[in-house]
Amino acid sequence: MFKKNLLLLIGVIILAILPLLFLQDAEFGGADGEAEEAITEIVTHYEPWFSAIWEPPSGEIESLLFVLQGVIGALIIGYFIGFMRGKHTKDHAKH
Amino acid sequence: MKQLLPKLAYFGIILLFIPKQAHAMHIMEGFLPIGWAIFWFALCLPFLMKGFKVIRVIVKENPESKLLLALSGAFTFVLSALKIPSVTGSCSHPTGVGLGSILFGPFVMSVLGSIVLLFQSILLAHGGLTTLGANIFSMAIVGPFIAVGVFKLATQWGLSFSIAVFLAAMLGDFGTYVMTSVQLALAFPSEVGGILGSFQKFASIFALTQIPLAISEGLLTVMIMNFLQKYNMKELVQLRILKAKES
């Protein structure tokens, strides 16, 4: 299982790196406006009728919150994996 | 069906020739006319109600599965936070709803996915509260249903467990963003090409960026499933995922 998963992980990493290698001058950014632009191309005077209640005051704060989101999830996954492995070893030690 | 395939292939090829820079994500706050916003909310409600019911039953019948529920939610949390570069020269993130859908069925993921979307719209200004209904429908309803459907079909066709999981997670992810494009096309039909013209425009932004990410999501979901298969056989069999003969 470990070897299989390592291969899969390498696949994921390669998929993420390839665009970076081949699209040297791309922005890879929050060109968040892209869909908005498309909308305003279609409906020239579309005004969003509601804006976010709260926005992260800066890119730094936003990345903090994204990291927190990832960390919370990763903590639970890590706990789960450890718990399962431990249980598994214990159960097998009895036999 | 036979006539549909060439059309789809043709459409896919057309998409490839419309390179665009985009930051694919959910529908932004305030960018759905109020009628559509209410429509998608209303459409989501029955799914969410059913989802809460199913979760209650699962937890009651099988308390051990609480951990697996937490894992499914956590997986979506992590994958939604990963902004990965894509072929369009921009970034997007996977959805992570495939795992929970395969384990617990689509309705459970409707609830868990909604929690993630709510978190992101309130704290990250990612997506939005007015567009929450539409985003729940695409990521937490359409995605999971596609994943479950694909998983069942693939299993029926006798494909291996890993391949079935991969296809389910990948197509569920991709389907989410196709749905997002459909929602935007319905709300903003273009004067020239109508709804279809708009759909091409939005799909070139959302769906194209998502292709490599959907593949990544498939691979990551298979990784977690491999682990579950090794250490968690009993529970998976209880959830009727794997046939007992495989354990």
Side-chain angles (χ1 to χ4, degrees):
Chain A
M1 179 201 76
F2 183 73
K3 265 188 191 162
K4 233 201 268 182
N5 273 1
L6 196 65
L7 280 176
L8 291 171
L9 188 63
I10 290 168
V12 173
I13 292 169
I14 288 173
L15 272 174
I17 289 177
L18 280 181
L20 292 176
L21 288 180
F22 282 95
L23 303 164
Q24 295 280 0
D25 44 7
E27 286 180 19
F28 289 113
D32 286 23
E34 189 62 27
E36 292 175 29
E37 268 172 43
I39 289 171
T40 41
E41 274 173 35
I42 296 166
V43 185
T44 24
H45 299 298
Y46 187 81
E47 283 292 322
W49 56 280
F50 197 82
S51 53
I53 305 172
W54 181 81
E55 279 190 41
S58 76
E60 303 303 322
I61 308 287
E62 189 184 352
S63 68
L64 166 72
L65 289 166
F66 264 104
V67 167
L68 274 179
Q69 186 189 329
V71 165
I72 292 166
L75 262 176
I76 294 172
I77 293 175
Y79 172 86
F80 178 89
I81 288 181
F83 180 85
M84 278 302 146
R85 284 197 66 160
K87 210 169 111 176
H88 186 81
T89 333
K90 207 174 113 196
D91 289 351
H92 279 250
K94 277 186 208 156
H95 299 306
Chain B
M1 184 72 204
K2 272 208 169 115
Q3 284 174 326
L4 189 69
L5 276 175
K7 273 189 188 157
L8 280 177
Y10 166 77
F11 178 66
I13 289 163
I14 281 190
L15 275 188
L16 291 176
F17 286 104
I18 319 175
K20 271 208 145 174
Q21 286 239 345
H23 180 77
M25 54 195 288
H26 315 296
I27 302 176
M28 302 69 60
E29 185 74 285
F31 268 88
L32 262 192
I34 191 156
W36 281 108
I38 292 168
F39 171 77
W40 293 115
F41 264 112
L43 210 54
C44 289
L45 278 179
F47 290 93
L48 288 174
M49 272 154 42
K50 168 100 179 157
F52 279 116
K53 255 192 214 142
V54 173
I55 288 181
R56 232 178 298 157
V57 169
I58 287 174
V59 171
K60 211 161 128 187
E61 281 186 1
N62 188 2
E64 278 190 0
S65 60
K66 267 188 209 160
L67 258 184
L68 269 183
L69 270 175
L71 178 81
S72 305
F75 190 66
T76 301
F77 237 65
V78 173
L79 259 62
S80 300
L82 293 176
K83 292 179 175 175
I84 301 171
S86 174
V87 285
T88 47
S90 56
C91 294
S92 179
H93 59 82
T95 65
V97 293
L99 177 75
S101 309
I102 296 167
L103 289 176
F104 293 105
F107 295 104
V108 169
M109 251 5 251
S110 300
V111 175
L112 295 179
S114 302
I115 294 169
V116 175
L117 285 165
L118 190 65
F119 174 91
Q120 288 196 319
S121 60
I122 292 176
L123 289 178
L124 294 161
H126 188 82
L129 288 174
T130 57
T131 54
L132 189 63
N135 290 330
I136 286 176
F137 190 78
S138 63
M139 181 178 128
I141 293 172
V142 170
F145 269 89
I146 292 178
V148 171
V150 170
F151 182 77
K152 282 192 173 150
L153 271 180
T155 320
Q156 272 172 10
W157 287 343
L159 296 171
S160 78
F161 179 70
S162 291
I163 302 274
V165 169
F166 172 77
L167 289 174
M170 178 180 80
L171 293 171
D173 175 311
F174 188 68
T176 293
Y177 285 86
V178 172
M179 188 66 215
T180 301
S181 310
V182 170
Q183 288 169 325
L184 283 170
L186 287 172
F188 301 104
S190 89
E191 280 174 21
V192 187
I195 290 174
L196 193 69
S198 283
F199 174 73
Q200 290 193 354
K201 198 188 261 274
F202 290 120
S204 71
I205 293 170
F206 285 104
L208 189 58
T209 304
Q210 205 60 26
I211 291 170
L213 298 193
I215 297 170
S216 288
E217 169 154 357
L219 296 175
L220 288 166
T221 309
V222 172
M223 278 173 70
I224 293 275
M225 279 290 190
N226 281 343
F227 180 86
L228 288 178
Q229 266 188 292
K230 190 171 156 107
Y231 291 113
N232 225 2
M233 218 52 175
K234 222 190 296 172
E235 260 184 53
L236 288 183
V237 172
Q238 269 173 342
L239 289 167
R240 291 185 294 275
I241 296 269
L242 299 168
K243 296 181 204 82
K245 68 170 171 42
E246 284 183 19
S247 53

